[in-house]
Amino acid sequence: MVTPGKLAELIEGEAVMDTEGIEDTDFDCPECGENVISVGYMPSITEFVTAYKCQECDWADDDRDE
């Protein structure tokens, strides 16, 4: 089973400072239609990100303003 820290690191591409728990979301993956989970984390002292990851494929996204 993946931990919140490992999931955040997988999505972010590097270690993060702090994480919240993993939660199920109410939407399906836009690429494969499978279940998406979310994790909240702090990549730095001044930023909080909620990220989303499909459990079946490589799709991932976050709530950062682009």
Side-chain angles (χ1 to χ4, degrees), residues 41-57:
Y41 61 91
M42 292 180 68
S44 68
I45 193 74
T46 60
E47 184 178 25
F48 183 83
V49 175
T50 301
Y52 307 93
K53 174 75 177 84
C54 178
Q55 292 186 346
E56 299 298 324
C57 75

Side-chain angles (χ1 to χ4, degrees), residues 22-42:
I22 296 172
E23 297 182 12
D24 287 322
T25 64
D26 61 352
F27 63 93
D28 296 326
C29 176
E31 290 187 8
C32 72
E34 294 296 325
N35 188 36
V36 173
I37 55 177
S38 69
V39 63
Y41 61 91
M42 292 180 68

